Amino acid sequence: MDKWKKLMVHIGAYPAVLGKWLAVGGLIGGIGGIIGSVFHIGVNYATQVRLAHPWVLYLLPVLGVIIAGLYRVTKVEGKDTNAVIESVHFGKNVPVLLVPVIFVSTVLTHLGGGSAGREGAALQIGGGIGHTTGRLLHLGEKDLPLATLCGMSAVFSALFGTPLTAAVFAMEVISVGVFYYAGLIPCLTAALVGYLVSLMMKVPPTRFTVADPGLDAWTMVLVILLAIGCAVVSILFCRGLQETGRRAARLLPNPFIRAFVGGVLVIGLTLLVGTTDYNGAGMEVVSRAIGGEVGGWAWLLKLLFTAVTIGFGFKGGEVVPSFFVGACFGCVLGGFLGLPAGFGAAIGLVAVFCGAVNCPIASVFLSIELFGTGDLLYFAMACAISYLLSGYCGLYSSQTILYSKM
Amino acid sequence: MDKWKKLMVHIGAYPAVLGKWLAVGGLIGGIGGIIGSVFHIGVNYATQVRLAHPWVLYLLPVLGVIIAGLYRVTKVEGKDTNAVIESVHFGKNVPVLLVPVIFVSTVLTHLGGGSAGREGAALQIGGGIGHTTGRLLHLGEKDLPLATLCGMSAVFSALFGTPLTAAVFAMEVISVGVFYYAGLIPCLTAALVGYLVSLMMKVPPTRFTVADPGLDAWTMVLVILLAIGCAVVSILFCRGLQETGRRAARLLPNPFIRAFVGGVLVIGLTLLVGTTDYNGAGMEVVSRAIGGEVGGWAWLLKLLFTAVTIGFGFKGGEVVPSFFVGACFGCVLGGFLGLPAGFGAAIGLVAVFCGAVNCPIASVFLSIELFGTGDLLYFAMACAISYLLSGYCGLYSSQTILYSKM
């Protein structure tokens, strides 16, 4: 009798877990979807204002000081995406004040034309929402990290309209070489609900159209060569951002002065290149690259702008800049190798992202959700190569390495 | 100076690994692709003969005895897909004789109308090829398991025309909850080359067309309900096959008599149901189900036929039968719930496969490669649910459980 009872409890545990995470994932997904959509609208609005009034660029140094002040006042200085990753690793708290602070700081960064993305912010906002909701629901120490992952998935999904990528990214980013399988139902549910909410709030999903070159061995060889280049670029990207941040902090230990100087540098760079292509997120340049129309050193300039912006204390994320750098680099090198330039840009976008975040499966899903599936095998091979060759370089220093890539 | 030298060696290790696995993966992919294609042609030919001469069904008991004899003579009795999985775990040898024996036995099983697939055979053939090639190349104990995975990917890919699924499946099937990231380049290369070879050898890739119901919350609720049912069916499927095998071995310890009796039982069942729909792989019934045209208890009958065929000692694989069972079940339950029946069948196919093999990511890629990407989120959610709820049930007893699913 006792044996049967035990068996029933054991069998019953699975549906109970399913029910719990459909509910909790759905709840966090709903909250994350709403806040993520509002965040998207805020960043977009700031960008519109900047484009309509180009002089706001000159406010950037002051905005930098305000951002530094916000972090000082709320005592979340030094907290970034790594704080969220560490929360998943060690159950550390994600300070709930980080949510409004990174939200406002990112909007201000985009308003002033700093070169940054939205996704680092999305992970922090989402992680904060998930962790806080989990604590309010009195989840245990085994479930709390999953709640944090739920929030990351939900806000990422709402911002980019890529729910499967968002869910898989959250499961994959925490450790190199380990996939967080227990997050499947929680993350997927949160990402899905976040996505549906964002659609209801009229956030357009990010989509591109790229021509399909068809599968053949020679094109694959060219893609492999391009992916090797992308791996190198992803290393440059990560190292560039990290080194700039480290040197800036050493030269200018005061965060107010640092942010002010960073703002001045971005203004100077902008005047120097004579275009605002490298300010803000630059999604329209990504679109042009995937249309095959970007040449030259745009990728390196974006890398420089982003390194200065993020390194000197502005906020946002590194993912859209990595899209930008990858797409422009792929457009140029792909075209040079003889690939259709737009297709090269698409490969470059996904491969540099993969090398920077060390998430090959999420990157393959990203290629599917952004571009459709015509060239899945090219993207998969490019991701595999960029993942391997980027070595232990990555955007997030808290990402633990549990298994060797080789 | 020494420090620089060390750094260069460290940096150089990555391109060296890339080059090595592009070469070794390509080689194993080529061999696996050729043998896999010949195997596909052989099984197809056997099926044509059976369809043209229905009386060969009555040879099944004798064919069973021949198969038992082949295993006895070559001393590979008891070696199955688990032997390949254990080879990856512990570096054990995969006996090279297993390759021709499982090849011939599977063709004979299909000739006589036993209910079996091809993929278990594909994994054994591929694993044997990969392991043997790796040993001939004097690969070390760290690389030998990767060579085995390469072979599995290559032959799976050649047989089904689903390279990404094949590569991810090999990386995912070895342990529950762990993804074998080091296999990315090796497996993907082997799967890709295997696929290209199979195309050159005119093996048609498996593809289905299924209508896209569009993303909405209510349809997702129905998919979740269907996936819960699929998880239960996947448990029945695995347990049914394993229990039948265990009981048959206890009742009839002599493998010759067991296979003979199994053949007689399949003949009896075939005459009883009055159709040959459940003999062989049954891909045409899978197609009908995805067309929305299968009803009743076809799924349970296929489960029964397969349990008897495999359990009494015939050879082949469990994957195509799991497709059959899942598609027919999904067609019926999906239609009953109010989903388009063909779409329900597609969900059922992928979800039952996922529950049986515990490979959710490979299953999502399977849905992409078989059906395109219209309904990716439905398939992903169905896979996640079936993965969780199938618990520690699975087709392969050697698949270790390293992380809990919850």
Side-chain angles (χ1 to χ4, degrees):
Chain A
M1 221 33 226
D2 212 43
K3 192 182 138 200
W4 277 102
K5 207 171 154 192
K6 262 190 184 161
L7 183 71
M8 290 318 291
V9 169
H10 178 71
I11 291 176
Y14 289 94
V17 165
L18 176 64
K20 175 172 75 182
W21 284 113
L22 286 177
V24 175
L27 176 66
I28 296 176
I31 302 171
I34 293 170
I35 297 181
S37 299
V38 173
F39 178 61
H40 180 273
I41 293 163
V43 169
N44 258 20
Y45 182 73
T47 305
Q48 298 301 329
V49 170
R50 176 174 63 83
L51 292 175
H53 309 284
W55 54 264
V56 293
L57 173 65
Y58 297 103
L59 296 181
L60 193 59
V62 178
L63 295 174
V65 173
I66 295 175
I67 291 171
L70 275 174
Y71 272 77
R72 171 68 52 94
V73 169
T74 54
K75 296 185 178 133
V76 292
E77 276 175 311
K79 296 281 177 192
D80 56 8
T81 307
N82 285 316
V84 176
I85 294 179
E86 280 164 26
S87 152
V88 177
H89 277 310
F90 312 115
K92 276 193 201 168
N93 270 356
V94 182
V96 68
L97 275 177
L98 186 60
V99 174
V101 169
I102 183 76
F103 188 120
V104 173
S105 304
T106 303
V107 172
L108 293 179
T109 298
H110 281 260
L111 177 68
S115 169
R118 311 164 286 182
E119 164 281 349
L123 295 180
Q124 294 168 47
I125 294 173
I129 292 172
H131 187 85
T132 307
T133 311
R135 275 201 303 159
L136 291 176
L137 294 172
H138 298 291
L139 294 184
E141 74 182 291
K142 187 167 149 281
D143 288 346
L144 211 45
L146 287 174
T148 308
L149 293 182
C150 280
M152 294 162 70
S153 307
V155 180
F156 188 125
S157 169
L159 272 185
F160 289 95
T162 56
L164 198 52
T165 307
V168 172
F169 177 80
M171 287 181 268
E172 208 175 17
V173 76
I174 301 303
S175 303
V176 172
V178 171
F179 192 88
Y180 210 113
Y181 276 95
L184 270 174
I185 299 278
C187 293
L188 206 50
T189 306
L192 184 72
V193 173
Y195 177 55
L196 289 174
V197 169
S198 79
L199 288 181
M200 279 191 273
M201 292 177 70
K202 312 271 180 232
V203 176
T206 310
R207 297 287 181 271
F208 302 101
T209 310
V210 65
D212 179 347
L215 186 65
D216 67 84
W218 178 241
T219 306
M220 185 57 81
V221 171
L222 299 180
V223 167
I224 289 173
L225 293 176
L226 175 56
I228 293 172
C230 290
V232 175
V233 169
S234 81
I235 294 174
L236 285 180
F237 184 77
C238 297
R239 284 261 187 270
L241 263 64
Q242 281 154 0
E243 276 302 305
T244 310
R246 207 167 295 146
R247 277 161 204 258
R250 207 162 47 201
L251 279 171
L252 304 164
N254 182 312
F256 295 92
I257 299 174
R258 189 160 72 235
F260 190 88
V261 171
V264 172
L265 283 175
V266 171
I267 295 171
L269 283 169
T270 307
L271 297 175
L272 205 67
V273 298
T275 164
T276 57
D277 272 1
Y278 307 101
N279 302 105
M283 261 319 204
E284 69 292 346
V285 181
V286 177
S287 290
R288 286 213 313 266
I290 291 167
E293 295 157 25
V294 171
W297 297 94
W299 66 272
L300 195 57
L301 285 170
K302 183 66 178 179
L303 203 165
L304 185 63
F305 269 76
T306 309
V308 171
T309 303
I310 304 281
F312 281 74
F314 288 89
K315 301 293 167 180
E318 305 87 352
V319 166
V320 177
S322 83
F323 287 2
F324 186 126
V325 169
C328 293
F329 177 77
C331 188
V332 175
L333 181 58
F336 173 77
L337 289 170
L339 291 168
F343 172 66
I347 292 281
L349 183 156
V350 173
V352 170
F353 170 75
C354 179
V357 296
N358 291 316
C359 297
I361 305 176
S363 304
V364 176
F365 284 122
L366 180 73
S367 78
I368 298 171
E369 294 193 311
L370 291 185
F371 308 116
T373 50
D375 308 299
L376 203 45
L377 285 168
Y378 293 127
F379 288 101
M381 184 57 91
C383 291
I385 287 176
S386 188
Y387 172 76
L388 173 68
L389 295 186
S390 67
Y392 294 137
C393 230
L395 281 176
Y396 314 116
S397 57
S398 293
Q399 189 179 47
T400 51
I401 296 157
L402 288 183
Y403 288 99
S404 163
K405 288 181 171 187
M406 296 193 272
Chain B
M1 218 38 225
D2 211 45
K3 193 183 140 200
W4 278 101
K5 207 171 151 191
K6 260 191 184 159
L7 183 70
M8 290 320 290
V9 169
H10 177 72
I11 291 175
Y14 289 94
V17 165
L18 176 62
K20 175 172 76 182
W21 284 113
L22 287 176
V24 175
L27 176 66
I28 296 176
I31 302 172
I34 293 170
I35 297 182
S37 299
V38 173
F39 178 60
H40 180 274
I41 293 164
V43 169
N44 259 20
Y45 182 74
T47 305
Q48 298 301 328
V49 171
R50 176 173 64 79
L51 292 175
H53 310 284
W55 55 264
V56 294
L57 173 65
Y58 297 102
L59 296 182
L60 193 59
V62 178
L63 295 173
V65 172
I66 295 174
I67 291 170
L70 276 173
Y71 273 76
R72 171 68 52 93
V73 169
T74 54
K75 297 188 176 128
V76 291
E77 277 176 310
K79 295 281 176 193
D80 56 8
T81 307
N82 285 316
V84 177
I85 294 178
E86 279 163 28
S87 152
V88 177
H89 278 311
F90 312 115
K92 277 192 199 168
N93 270 357
V94 182
V96 69
L97 274 177
L98 187 60
V99 174
V101 169
I102 183 77
F103 188 120
V104 173
S105 304
T106 303
V107 172
L108 292 180
T109 299
H110 280 261
L111 178 67
S115 169
R118 313 164 284 182
E119 165 278 351
L123 295 179
Q124 294 167 48
I125 294 172
I129 292 172
H131 187 84
T132 307
T133 310
R135 274 199 304 159
L136 291 176
L137 293 173
H138 299 292
L139 294 183
E141 76 182 288
K142 187 167 149 281
D143 289 345
L144 211 46
L146 287 175
T148 308
L149 293 182
C150 280
M152 294 162 71
S153 307
V155 180
F156 187 124
S157 170
L159 272 185
F160 288 96
T162 55
L164 198 51
T165 307
V168 172
F169 178 80
M171 287 181 267
E172 207 175 17
V173 75
I174 302 302
S175 302
V176 172
V178 171
F179 192 87
Y180 211 112
Y181 276 94
L184 270 175
I185 298 277
C187 292
L188 207 50
T189 307
L192 184 72
V193 173
Y195 176 54
L196 289 174
V197 169
S198 78
L199 288 181
M200 279 190 273
M201 293 178 69
K202 312 272 180 230
V203 176
T206 311
R207 297 288 181 270
F208 301 102
T209 310
V210 65
D212 180 346
L215 186 65
D216 68 83
W218 177 241
T219 306
M220 185 57 81
V221 171
L222 298 180
V223 167
I224 290 174
L225 293 176
L226 175 56
I228 294 172
C230 290
V232 176
V233 169
S234 81
I235 294 175
L236 284 179
F237 184 76
C238 296
R239 284 258 187 273
L241 262 62
Q242 280 154 0
E243 276 301 305
T244 309
R246 206 166 297 146
R247 277 160 205 256
R250 207 162 47 203
L251 279 171
L252 304 165
N254 182 315
F256 295 92
I257 298 173
R258 189 159 73 235
F260 190 89
V261 171
V264 171
L265 282 175
V266 171
I267 295 172
L269 283 169
T270 308
L271 296 175
L272 205 66
V273 297
T275 163
T276 57
D277 272 1
Y278 307 102
N279 302 104
M283 261 317 202
E284 68 293 344
V285 181
V286 176
S287 291
R288 286 214 313 265
I290 291 167
E293 294 158 24
V294 171
W297 297 94
W299 66 273
L300 195 57
L301 285 170
K302 184 68 179 177
L303 203 164
L304 185 64
F305 269 77
T306 308
V308 171
T309 302
I310 304 281
F312 281 73
F314 288 88
K315 300 294 165 178
E318 306 87 353
V319 166
V320 178
S322 84
F323 287 2
F324 187 127
V325 169
C328 293
F329 177 77
C331 188
V332 174
L333 180 58
F336 173 79
L337 289 170
L339 291 169
F343 172 65
I347 292 281
L349 183 157
V350 173
V352 170
F353 170 75
C354 179
V357 296
N358 291 317
C359 297
I361 305 177
S363 304
V364 176
F365 284 122
L366 180 74
S367 77
I368 297 171
E369 294 191 312
L370 291 185
F371 308 117
T373 51
D375 308 298
L376 203 47
L377 285 168
Y378 293 127
F379 287 101
M381 184 55 94
C383 291
I385 287 176
S386 188
Y387 172 76
L388 173 69
L389 294 187
S390 66
Y392 293 138
C393 229
L395 280 176
Y396 313 116
S397 57
S398 294
Q399 189 179 48
T400 50
I401 295 156
L402 289 182
Y403 288 99
S404 163
K405 289 182 170 186
M406 294 194 273

